Amino acid sequence: MLDSAAYSVTADRAALPPYDLAVIMVPTPLGNGVPDLAYVETCAQTLDEHVHPGAAVILESMPYPGTTEEVVLPILEKVSGLIAGSDFHVGFSPERIDPGNKGWPFGPTVSYFNRRRG
């Protein structure tokens, strides 16, 4: 996928091409028992001026419930001047694992979709 022009990874705001789908995958470390959303906010601010009609932004981290609507969405709407849900799309895909947690290691898993035919 990395060799494809359809997929790229960057931390450089100037290098962001127009995108159809952006996925925010950053840590949300705990500080005093509360998730630190600084990385999430920074990523949303990096994407905001690049949001265009039809684009989608997915938050895939482990923040507290409501972060997508209360933090990410307002940042994206503010600079873009667009309205989420009608002009562009925002979604949340919670992490299913805790990368780097040695107490709960994970191994190979299989995900599949089984369509029953009648």
Side-chain angles (χ1 to χ4, degrees), residues 17-35:
Y19 60 84
D20 294 320
L21 173 66
V23 181
I24 299 174
M25 295 183 289
V26 294
T28 50
L30 291 178
N32 297 325
V34 178

Side-chain angles (χ1 to χ4, degrees), residues 73 76-77 82-90:
L73 191 142
L76 297 175
E77 286 182 332
L82 301 174
I83 298 171
S86 60
D87 297 327
F88 68 98
H89 309 283
V90 178

